[in-house]
Amino acid sequence: MVTVLVTSFLLFAAISYAIYWWQRSSSNENSERILPPSRMGGLFGELSPADEAALLAAEKEANRSAHRAALLARAVEGDKKALDEAQATDDAGLYDEVLNALAKQASTDQSLLSLVSYVARNDLLRVNPKLAEKFIESWKRSPDRNTTAKMLHVAALSGDASVYQRAIETAAQFLREGRVPSLDADELRQLAESEYWILPAESRNSGAGFVLKQQLARLRRELMASTNSRQSSTVNEQ
C-alpha cells in the first residue's frame, strides 16, 4: 500500500514538472515571436539616414533663427558688440540687418557718430550703404571742413559708387551755396579724389563707378574754374 502511494506521488510530481517546463517553453517562444529585438541606436536609432539629416537641418535652422533674433534684440538696445558677433557668422545678410538696426536705434547725431566710429575703427567691420546715407543726412545739419572729410570717408567705406557719388554731389552743392565754412573748392576736390580710391576695384569698374568718374571729372573742372575765377578777381583788385 505504501509503495503504491509513493509511486503515485512520484508520478504526479513528474507530470507536474513536465507541464511546468512545457508552459515556460511556450511562453518564451511567444515572447520571442511578439517582441522585437532591442535596438540601441541612440537618439536617431529609429530614423532613416534621410530623416535624420532632415531633423538635424531643422535643428540647425532653429538655432540660427534664435541666434539672429537675439542679435537683433541686442542691436535694438544699442549693443554694438552684437555687430561683432554677426560679422563672425560670415552671414552678410545678418550683418546688414544688425547694422541697420543699430543705425535706426542711433536717434541723435552723436550716437550715430559713435556707431560710425566703432565700425570704422575695426578692420573686420564694414560700413554699409544705409549707414553711409544716414551719416550724409546727419552731416547736412552741421557741415564744416572736418565733418565733410568724415562724411566723404564714410561714404567711400560703404563700397558703393552710387552712395559716394551722392556724397560728392551734396558736398559740392553745399560748397557752392557757401554752407561749408573753412572749406575751399580745391580742398574738396582733393578730398573727393583721394577718398575715391577707398572704393573696391569692382565698384570703381562698375557702371555706377563709370558715372562716378564722370562726376569727379565735372567736379574737377568746376572747382578749378571757380578757383581760377577767384584768383583773377584777386589780381584785378590789386
Side-chain angles (χ1 to χ4, degrees):
M1 184 63 178
V2 174
T3 302
V4 174
L5 290 174
V6 171
T7 302
S8 299
F9 177 80
L10 292 175
L11 180 61
F12 177 79
I15 293 172
S16 297
Y17 185 78
I19 291 173
Y20 167 77
W21 279 106
W22 177 81
Q23 289 178 335
R24 182 173 179 180
S25 176
S26 176
S27 176
N28 289 339
E29 289 177 359
N30 290 335
S31 297
E32 293 175 358
R33 185 167 57 251
I34 295 173
L35 298 177
S38 175
R39 298 179 64 182
M40 303 297 290
L43 180 61
F44 304 119
E46 302 297 327
L47 299 177
S48 68
D51 289 339
E52 184 175 336
L55 187 59
L56 289 173
E59 181 180 3
K60 183 178 180 180
E61 177 61 24
N63 290 337
R64 191 192 73 81
S65 297
H67 187 222
R68 171 185 172 277
L71 289 179
L72 288 174
R74 289 168 55 192
V76 169
E77 295 298 323
D79 183 359
K80 300 183 186 69
K81 291 295 183 182
L83 191 61
D84 297 85
E85 294 185 31
Q87 189 278 330
T89 66
D90 291 327
D91 185 337
L94 175 59
Y95 179 91
D96 281 337
E97 285 186 87
V98 172
L99 183 54
N100 291 341
L102 284 166
K104 185 176 181 180
Q105 183 273 340
S107 57
T108 67
D109 292 338
Q110 187 59 39
S111 60
L112 181 62
L113 177 60
S114 175
L115 174 60
V116 167
S117 298
Y118 182 85
V119 175
R121 286 196 306 266
N122 192 326
D123 293 336
L124 297 178
L125 303 182
R126 59 178 174 80
V127 174
N128 69 2
K130 283 191 175 182
L131 179 60
E133 289 171 348
K134 186 166 184 176
F135 194 68
I136 293 171
E137 293 303 311
S138 173
W139 168 83
K140 290 179 180 180
R141 291 188 282 273
S142 58
D144 60 27
R145 186 175 184 277
N146 291 331
T147 58
T148 301
K150 290 178 182 178
M151 183 271 288
L152 291 176
H153 183 64
V154 171
L157 287 176
S158 74
D160 189 309
S162 297
V163 171
Y164 190 59
Q165 179 187 344
R166 287 195 293 273
I168 293 173
E169 289 175 345
T170 304
Q173 178 185 346
F174 272 51
L175 183 68
R176 286 191 294 268
E177 296 171 355
R179 299 167 61 184
V180 189
S182 70
L183 180 68
D184 62 36
D186 192 54
E187 284 180 316
L188 178 57
R189 177 186 61 79
Q190 291 179 21
L191 281 172
E193 292 180 350
S194 63
E195 296 293 347
Y196 166 80
W197 296 104
I198 292 179
L199 291 169
E202 60 269 22
S203 183
R204 297 197 305 270
N205 296 328
S206 66
F210 176 75
V211 176
L212 172 59
K213 291 174 185 177
Q214 291 181 318
Q215 171 63 22
L216 286 172
R218 285 195 300 269
L219 178 64
R220 186 183 303 113
R221 290 193 299 269
E222 177 186 336
L223 296 180
M224 288 179 65
S226 176
T227 300
N228 292 336
S229 176
R230 285 199 305 272
Q231 289 175 348
S232 298
S233 299
T234 302
V235 170
N236 292 334
E237 290 175 359
Q238 292 175 351

